[in-house]
Amino acid sequence: MTTKTPSKLEKILASGCLAVTSEVGPPRGGNPKHIEEKGRLIQHHVDAINITDNQTSVTRMCSLAACIRLKLMGLEPVLQMVTRDRNRIALQSDILGAASFDIHNILCLSGDHQSFGDCPTGQNVHDIDSMQLIQTVRRMRDEGKFLGGADIACPPRMFVGAAENPFADPFEIRVPRLAKKIAAGVEFIQTQCIYNLDKFELWVKQARERGLTEKVHILAGVTPLKSVGMARYMKNRVPGMDVPDDVIKRMAAVPKEKQPDEGITICVETIERLKSVEGVHGFHIMAIEWEEKVAEIVERAGLFPRPTVEI
Amino acid sequence: MIVADKKPIEEIIQQVESYHNVLILGCNECVTVCEAGGKKEVGILASALRMYFLNNGKDMRIDEVTLERQCDHEYLEEIRDRIDRYDAVVSLACGVGVQFMAETYLSKPIFPGVNTCFLGVTEKRGLWTERCQACGQCILANTAGICPVSRCAKRILNGPCGGSSKGKCEVNKDLDCAWQLIVDRLKALGRMDDYEKLFSIKDWSTDRAGGPRKVIREDVQI
Amino acid sequence: MPCTGKVDVQHILRAFEKGADGVYAVGCMEGDCHFNSGNFRARKRVEQARKLLNTVGVGGERVEMFNLSSAEGPRFAEYAREMDRRIRDIGPSPIKLAMKKAA
C-alpha cells in the first residue's frame, strides 16, 4: 500500500498493523514541561499523539506549539484543529506553520461550543466546518493550492483525519456522514469514546457494507473510566456520549478503591473485542488526565511492542 | 420580522435623565408585533418614566408618538415640525430605525429603547425564535428549508456535529438541533440522498464579513 | 370593562399617573373565564404593572388582582375592604404628593 505523506501513522496503518494513538491536552500556562512529561510517559506505547485544540473551549497553550514540543522530542504529533476559533486564513496559515515543523498529521474538528469553556461570552468563527477543513487540507496537500486558488510553494504533507461520533443522533445518518467525510477526503477517523460496543459494531458493520472501511482507517476511541462517578458524568453530562447502564453497574459493583482497576480492565476488554472487528484499524486511547495508564492498557491489550517504521 | 426585546427601564432612565423634553418614539411594524416597541409599549414606557421623574423631583416632559415605520424617510419626516421641542428621543424601533432617526435628525440625541435580537417568527405569543441571519446567499433550497446558518450554534453546513443528542443541540437542551430538523425534513420529502451531497465552502462576502451591505435595484429606482 | 382580559398595563399605569393610590382588578374565578383566558391575561398584566411600579418607586403593592364569581357580592366587598386597608396602611401615592408639590 502506498502512502501519500511522511506520516508514521499513515505508514503503520498502510502496513496493516493496528495503530495506537493517544492524546495529550496542553497546559493552561506557558510551561512546556507538562507536555513533554506526558509525551515521555506514553512515547514507547503509541504511534502518534494527538494534541487537543483548546478542548471543551477552555483556553490553553495552542495545539501547534505543543505539537512542535513533541516534534522536537522526536515524537509523532497529530495536530488537532477546530474551526471554532480560526477563519480560513488562520487555518491555512497554521497548517503551513505545522508543515514547516514536519508535523504530518492533522485532525479536523468543529470544536465544542464556546459556551462550555472559560470564554462563554466570546464570538465563534465557524467560517468553514470540519468537513470543509478536510477538503481544505487535501486541496493544499494534493493540489498544492490555497483556498484562494494560488499555488503553495511548498505544500503541506499531512495525513488527514477527523473524528466521528457513532453515538450521536440521529443514528441513521451516522454512516452517511462517514461517507460524506470520506468524500471530503478524510483518511483516518478517531471515534468518540466507545462504551456501547454493540452500537459501535453495528455502525462499523453498516460502514463495511457500504465499502467505507476500505476507504478510511477507523481508530476506535476508548477512555478508561476512573470511577463510577466519571461513568455517570459521561452518560449524563457529556453531549453525544453513550454509556450503557451495564457499564455503570459493573463499575458500581466494585469498591471505590478498585474502580480505577475495573475501568482499565473494561478498557482492555473493549480493545480485545474490537480488535477482531473487520474495519477497525487501530485504537485511540484517550486517558483523560491519566496518561500514566496508557502503557498498561496497551500492554495488557496485546498491542505492545509498537512496530517501527522507516521515516 | 425583526425581533426585539425591551431594554430594562433602568437603562433608559440612565440614558435620558440629563434631558428635560424627551420623545418616546414607537414603530408600528415588527417591534409592534413582538410587543417591544409599538404604541402600547410607548405608552407604558412613557407613563413609567413620567412617574419616575415626577417621583424624583425632576421636571421632565415626556411625549409619545408612534410612527408607521422608522426605516423609511416619509414616516420620519412626519415629526420634523415637532422634533425641535425635544432635546432627546428614545426610539423603540429596531436598531435600523434608531439609526435612521439619528441620520435624519443629525443634531438630536437618539437612544435605543429596545435590544434588537434577530430575524424570526412568532412561534406563539411571547415566544419568538430566530430563522434567518441575512447571510445574503440563501441556501435553504439545499437544506430542506431549514437554515443551519441561523439555527445551528456552529452554523455547520455539513452537520450535525457530534453534540447532537436526542434531537437537541449541545449548547442547550431546549434548542432543536438544526441538522436533526434538516434530516427529519429530508426524510419527509423523500430526499435523504441529498444528505450526502457535500456542502462546499460558503462565500461569506455577502454576510457581515463583506462589510455593510447594499441592495441596488436600478429597475425600481425613479 | 367587559372582561379583565381587557385590562392593560397602560390602564393601570395611567391610573397611578393621574394620582390613584391603589388599583385592583377583580376578575372571574380562574378557569371560569367566559373568554377562556381573560383573567389569566389580567393577572399577568397586573404582575407586569407591579414590577414597573416597583422600578419607578411607586410601589408594586399598590396594585392587586382578585378573583371571585359574579354571585359573590360579600366577597367583592371583602376584597374592597382588604385593598382599602392595605392602601391606607401604605399611605398616599408618592405620585399624588409630587403632583401636589409641583402644582
Side-chain angles (χ1 to χ4, degrees):
Chain A
M1 203 165 162
T2 56
T3 55
K4 293 174 182 159
T5 72
S7 160
K8 176 180 157 193
L9 179 61
E10 183 185 14
K11 286 196 172 77
I12 287 173
L13 286 165
S15 75
C17 278
L18 286 171
V20 178
T21 57
S22 185
E23 70 184 39
V24 168
R28 299 203 71 202
N31 190 339
K33 283 208 167 53
H34 167 98
I35 284 286
E36 290 165 355
E37 277 161 21
K38 288 190 171 180
R40 216 167 279 128
L41 215 50
I42 59 177
Q43 59 179 334
H44 302 300
H45 288 80
V46 300
D47 306 318
I49 302 169
N50 287 35
I51 298 285
T52 52
D53 181 4
N54 297 297
Q55 75 269 26
T56 64
S57 304
V58 173
T59 315
R60 290 165 184 278
M61 179 191 287
C62 78
S63 173
L64 176 53
C67 281
I68 293 167
R69 288 282 164 194
L70 292 186
K71 194 76 199 180
L72 294 176
M73 294 167 69
L75 305 184
E76 172 94 352
V78 178
L79 174 70
Q80 291 197 185
M81 201 173 254
V82 301
T83 58
R84 175 192 62 223
D85 308 323
R86 301 176 189 85
N87 71 358
R88 61 190 80 176
I89 301 172
L91 290 166
Q92 294 179 93
S93 154
D94 281 0
I95 288 164
L96 292 183
S100 79
F101 281 94
D102 292 325
I103 290 164
H104 298 308
N105 308 289
I106 183 169
L107 194 79
C108 305
L109 306 164
S110 53
D112 294 316
H113 193 263
Q114 74 277 7
S115 58
F116 293 101
D118 63 346
C119 294
T121 57
Q123 271 282 14
N124 56 24
V125 179
H126 298 298
D127 179 15
I128 63 178
D129 64 22
S130 59
M131 263 193 229
Q132 295 165 342
L133 179 58
I134 295 167
Q135 289 179 305
T136 302
V137 189
R138 286 296 301 265
R139 180 178 162 94
M140 291 173 78
R141 182 188 85 189
D142 299 344
E143 298 169 37
K145 293 216 184 280
F146 287 108
L147 287 177
D151 290 335
I152 301 172
C154 176
R157 293 182 299 164
M158 282 181 169
F159 187 42
V160 182
E164 252 311 302
N165 183 358
F167 311 106
D169 292 318
F171 185 69
E172 67 265 38
I173 56 102
R174 286 294 136 192
V175 171
R177 186 164 167 75
L178 177 65
K180 214 166 160 176
K181 280 197 175 164
I182 292 168
V186 81
E187 295 164 315
F188 72 97
I189 292 285
Q190 291 171 327
T191 76
Q192 173 71 288
C193 323
I194 301 156
Y195 298 104
N196 187 341
L197 277 69
D198 294 338
K199 197 165 183 181
F200 176 75
E201 285 173 351
L202 175 64
W203 177 73
V204 179
K205 179 173 166 274
Q206 290 175 355
R208 211 164 48 226
E209 284 165 0
R210 283 192 56 172
L212 300 179
T213 51
E214 307 285 310
K215 296 176 185 159
V216 71
H217 298 290
I218 294 172
L219 308 189
V222 291
T223 291
L225 294 165
K226 272 184 183 168
S227 65
V228 68
M230 175 178 172
R232 289 204 185 101
Y233 180 84
M234 298 265 248
K235 180 188 173 75
N236 299 323
R237 303 295 295 276
V238 183
M241 191 73 81
D242 184 346
V243 186
D245 288 334
D246 55 344
V247 173
I248 290 173
K249 271 187 207 144
R250 187 171 160 186
M251 288 296 286
V254 297
K256 199 167 173 46
E257 67 278 9
K258 298 266 189 208
Q259 284 176 3
D261 290 342
E262 191 68 9
I264 300 286
T265 302
I266 293 173
C267 186
V268 170
E269 288 173 13
T270 301
I271 296 175
E272 288 287 3
R273 175 166 154 187
L274 297 182
K275 261 179 171 180
S276 59
V277 173
E278 195 189 329
V280 172
H281 295 178
F283 294 91
H284 180 54
I285 304 169
M286 294 164 273
I288 303 160
E289 293 302 316
W290 214 16
E291 289 82 359
E292 63 271 24
K293 289 290 177 185
V294 170
E296 182 187 334
I297 293 168
V298 172
E299 287 177 21
R300 281 178 58 189
L303 294 166
F304 191 76
R306 300 306 311 144
T308 48
V309 290
E310 299 273 324
I311 297 176
Chain B
M1 69 172 154
I2 295 173
V3 176
D5 199 5
K6 292 177 177 181
K7 267 191 186 293
I9 189 162
E10 293 88 339
E11 193 180 328
I12 298 173
I13 289 170
Q14 235 180 3
Q15 286 164 355
V16 301
E17 62 192 351
S18 60
Y19 299 98
H20 296 279
N21 293 292
V22 175
L23 175 66
I24 310 294
L25 189 65
C27 176
N28 250 336
E29 294 282 350
C30 315
V31 288
T32 298
V33 182
C34 63
E35 303 188 41
K39 194 174 176 194
K40 192 183 273 187
E41 291 73 31
V42 167
I44 293 169
L45 177 64
S47 183
L49 289 176
R50 279 191 293 262
M51 283 195 273
Y52 174 83
F53 288 114
L54 185 62
N55 201 16
N56 285 276
K58 185 162 192 286
D59 182 25
M60 190 83 145
R61 179 181 164 171
I62 293 169
D63 286 351
E64 309 167 22
V65 170
T66 298
L67 299 177
E68 194 53 36
R69 281 202 282 285
Q70 292 187 32
C71 50
D72 272 314
H73 278 304
E74 293 89 321
Y75 301 109
L76 293 186
E77 287 307 317
E78 288 173 6
I79 52 167
R80 188 168 291 282
D81 58 340
R82 271 170 290 175
I83 194 78
D84 287 334
R85 292 182 212 160
Y86 305 103
D87 45 18
V89 178
V90 176
S91 164
L92 296 197
C94 65
V96 174
V98 176
Q99 290 184 66
F100 219 29
M101 266 297 289
E103 289 168 37
T104 306
Y105 300 109
L106 205 57
S107 60
K108 197 63 63 188
I110 315 283
F111 298 102
V114 301
N115 292 319
T116 307
C117 300
F118 49 77
L119 305 182
V121 294
T122 311
E123 281 199 30
K124 60 178 187 184
R125 193 155 176 211
L127 177 63
W128 294 275
T129 55
E130 184 166 16
R131 288 295 183 280
C132 179
Q133 285 192 354
C135 72
Q137 281 191 56
C138 193
I139 57 169
L140 285 169
N142 303 316
T143 56
I146 288 152
C147 173
V149 175
S150 55
R151 301 185 70 183
C152 166
K154 303 177 190 171
R155 64 178 189 192
I156 288 178
L157 297 183
N158 294 286
C161 76
S164 179
S165 184
K166 298 183 180 71
K168 300 296 174 184
C169 174
E170 70 175 26
V171 171
N172 184 335
K173 284 193 168 63
D174 298 327
L175 210 58
D176 288 328
C177 166
W179 274 95
Q180 174 78 56
L181 298 177
I182 292 170
V183 168
D184 290 348
R185 194 139 193 282
L186 282 173
K187 256 190 273 179
L189 294 169
R191 279 178 42 199
M192 267 308 279
D193 288 350
D194 284 1
Y195 175 76
E196 290 195 34
K197 287 183 189 156
L198 261 172
F199 224 103
S200 56
I201 292 177
K202 188 165 163 65
D203 172 358
W204 292 111
S205 65
T206 56
D207 190 68
R208 60 148 286 283
R213 294 166 280 179
K214 265 184 197 177
V215 173
I216 303 170
R217 284 273 310 278
E218 282 174 7
D219 57 331
V220 293
Q221 286 179 1
I222 313 161
Chain C
M1 283 190 186
C3 169
T4 49
K6 179 75 183 145
V7 175
D8 193 83
V9 182
Q10 274 193 90
H11 301 130
I12 302 173
L13 294 190
R14 289 278 148 91
F16 283 101
E17 249 198 288
K18 290 190 188 306
D21 295 313
V23 171
Y24 65 109
V26 186
C28 301
M29 295 304 286
E30 291 188 354
D32 282 344
C33 176
H34 185 64
F35 306 104
N36 296 332
S37 57
N39 45 8
F40 290 112
R41 285 167 197 253
R43 180 166 294 278
K44 288 248 174 155
R45 289 167 190 159
V46 165
E47 281 162 16
Q48 274 180 354
R50 183 176 294 141
K51 268 191 208 156
L52 279 167
L53 290 169
N54 274 329
T55 308
V56 301
V58 174
E61 66 280 12
R62 294 180 182 277
V63 60
E64 194 54 86
M65 169 93 194
F66 296 103
N67 297 86
L68 47 70
S69 92
S70 55
E72 295 178 295
R75 213 146 169 215
F76 181 83
E78 193 186 307
Y79 287 148
R81 275 193 294 272
E82 183 186 328
M83 201 60 192
D84 182 64
R85 259 197 314 275
R86 184 195 294 189
I87 301 301
R88 281 181 197 283
D89 284 350
I90 305 169
S93 153
I95 298 298
K96 191 161 76 182
L97 298 177
M99 284 196 308
K100 271 190 191 151
K101 213 169 129 192

